[in-house]
Amino acid sequence: MANEWTLFRQAEIAVTPTRFMVGSKTYAIRNIVSTEGFELRPGWLGALIGKRKEFKVIITTAAGKITAYSSTDRALVGDLLEALDNAIAKHGTAETTQRQKTALKI
């Protein structure tokens, strides 16, 4: 990661153009097909005891959907999703460009 620039970094989370790291887990951006945010609201009993909303980052890979991260901080999850979407878009563009160059034998 020394030569990669970072799209997002906060505590145990980092997103680069090629990797998404959360704690000890690393996901290759090229294997992430899509991302989504999910809001989990506490039921009436949870709300009664002070449980807060939880926001999840779900990634889809060939292996299926994975809850990669969750937090009670909506803004953090939103920023993380934006960084992941940018990394996927940048990777897709670079991959497409490489395929085009290969097809054209450049």
Side-chain angles (χ1 to χ4, degrees):
M1 196 167 95
N3 294 335
E4 287 186 292
W5 47 279
T6 303
L7 297 163
F8 180 89
R9 179 180 295 282
Q10 183 152 347
E12 64 178 353
I13 312 162
V15 178
T16 73
T18 60
R19 293 184 275 186
F20 169 37
M21 295 153 286
V22 179
S24 63
K25 296 190 180 214
T26 300
Y27 304 96
I29 294 296
R30 72 175 175 271
N31 294 335
I32 300 174
V33 177
S34 66
T35 65
E36 63 183 288
F38 182 78
E39 180 179 333
L40 182 62
R41 296 181 181 156
W44 67 270
L45 183 59
L48 189 64
I49 61 171
K51 190 167 182 176
R52 297 170 57 188
K53 291 179 186 176
E54 189 174 7
F55 303 93
K56 297 180 179 280
V57 172
I58 300 168
I59 59 173
T60 303
T61 68
K65 290 189 176 201
I66 301 164
T67 300
Y69 184 74
S70 63
S71 173
T72 56
D73 186 339
R74 173 186 282 218
L76 179 126
V77 169
D79 292 345
L80 175 55
L81 285 165
E82 183 178 346
L84 283 168
D85 290 344
N86 286 334
I88 292 167
K90 286 180 189 326
H91 181 76
T93 302
E95 192 172 84
T96 301
T97 302
Q98 184 58 44
R99 276 198 300 265
Q100 289 170 344
K101 284 182 178 178
T102 301
L104 297 173
K105 300 199 186 313
I106 295 175

